[in-house]
Amino acid sequence: MIQMKNISKIYRIGGETLYALDHASLSIGNGEFVAIVGPSGSGKSTLMNIMGCLDVADEGKYFLDGQEIEDYTEDDLTRIRNFKIGFVFQNFNLLPKNTALENVELPLIYQGVPRRECRARARQALERMGLSERLEHRPSELSGGQQQRVAIARALVTSPSLILADEPTGNLDHKTGVEIMELFRELHGNGNTIVLITHDDGVAKKAERRLRILDGQVTEEAKA
C-alpha cells in the first residue's frame, strides 16, 4: 500500500539546512498495524503528513497503491484524503459547537453523501465506539477518552482503507490510553491498515510491526 524511497523534507532557516526527514525509506502492506516510534523532533509528524498527502517531500519517491504521488492531480489527492485515509490526531480536532453526531457526519458531508445516510452512518460509527448514549453531547461534555472515540468514529465513518493516528493516546491518562489501543487492535483485527505515530514504546509494542525514527531516518525494529 505504502512505499517510500529516500524521502527527505528540508527546511532552510537562515543559512542553516535542517532535515526533518533524511532519506527515509519504508514499506507498509495492506492490513498491517505498524507503529512509527521516536522522540519529539525526530520527524514523526512530518512523515505522517507526507504519508497522508497533507504535505509533499522535497526529495525521494512516495508510492501509494503502486502509483507515485507525483502522478496524482490535486483533485486526486483531495479524493485520497477524503475517501482513502482516516486521520486521528492527539488533540482530537473536534468542532466544539457541534455534537458528537455532527462531528462524525462531517467527512460524509464533504463526500456529498445524502443527509439521511450521513446521519445513519455517523450514528452507527458512534455506536461501534460505545457512544450510543453520547450522540448529542458536545466535546466539552465528553471526557478525553470519549472525545478520542468520537475522533476515531469520524475517521472510520468513510470506511477508509488506511488509518493514520498521530499520538492518539498522548492527551489521555494511562487507563484510557490502554482502552484506545485495544480499540485499534480490534480495528486491525477487522482488517484495517493502521499506521500509528507515537513517542511511547509501551504504546508502540501494541502494534504488530515497529519502525523507529530518529534524526529523520527510519529503521526497522527487530521483533522481540
Side-chain angles (χ1 to χ4, degrees):
M1 177 182 283
I2 289 171
Q3 189 172 28
M4 291 182 161
K5 296 182 177 180
N6 296 314
I7 292 290
S8 293
K9 186 66 180 179
I10 305 164
Y11 296 99
R12 291 178 174 85
I13 303 172
E16 189 175 4
T17 300
L18 300 175
Y19 279 79
L21 293 173
D22 186 3
H23 298 87
S25 297
L26 60 84
S27 181
I28 296 170
N30 280 317
E32 283 200 289
F33 182 7
V34 179
I36 300 175
V37 60
S40 178
S42 60
K44 301 189 303 297
S45 292
T46 302
L47 184 64
M48 195 199 84
N49 287 339
I50 293 173
M51 200 177 288
C53 303
L54 299 171
D55 199 359
V56 293
D58 295 313
E59 296 175 355
K61 295 183 181 295
Y62 174 24
F63 296 88
L64 185 62
D65 290 336
Q67 184 172 337
E68 191 172 353
I69 283 294
E70 283 189 1
D71 295 338
Y72 288 98
T73 66
E74 280 303 317
D75 285 345
D76 290 336
L77 293 176
T78 298
R79 284 186 59 82
I80 287 169
R81 290 189 293 266
N82 286 345
F83 287 83
K84 182 180 181 64
I85 303 173
F87 296 93
V88 181
F89 299 98
Q90 177 177 353
N91 295 321
F92 319 133
N93 288 7
L94 302 176
L95 296 180
K97 294 183 180 180
N98 288 25
T99 65
L101 194 60
E102 289 166 343
N103 268 286
V104 176
E105 285 178 322
L106 277 175
L108 298 174
I109 292 171
Y110 293 145
Q111 288 186 357
V113 174
R115 189 73 187 188
R116 183 175 292 183
E117 184 181 343
C118 281
R119 178 91 0 154
R121 287 171 62 179
R123 184 184 296 272
Q124 183 179 38
L126 284 164
E127 288 172 352
R128 184 180 178 189
M129 293 297 108
L131 293 171
S132 56
E133 305 299 318
R134 298 287 187 269
L135 303 182
E136 300 303 325
H137 286 63
R138 288 177 171 78
S140 62
E141 300 169 315
L142 300 172
S143 69
Q146 288 169 338
Q147 289 184 61
Q148 192 59 290
R149 285 174 182 267
V150 173
I152 294 170
R154 182 183 57 193
L156 291 175
V157 75
T158 58
S159 301
S161 54
L162 172 64
I163 298 171
L164 296 180
D166 190 5
E167 298 281 8
T169 63
N171 283 339
L172 305 176
D173 61 69
H174 177 73
K175 179 177 180 294
T176 307
V178 169
E179 292 172 357
I180 292 298
M181 286 308 302
E182 285 304 312
L183 190 53
F184 277 115
R185 285 169 64 91
E186 181 183 325
L187 293 171
H188 173 240
N190 291 335
N192 290 98
T193 303
I194 301 173
V195 179
L196 176 75
I197 308 290
T198 183
H199 69 278
D200 188 328
D201 282 298
V203 168
K205 287 178 181 176
K206 300 292 185 181
E208 66 175 5
R209 237 183 99 206
R210 292 185 296 279
L211 303 175
R212 191 163 292 275
I213 185 167
L214 187 63
D215 297 330
Q217 297 183 328
V218 177
T219 55
E220 184 93 21
E221 188 169 298
K223 292 185 178 180

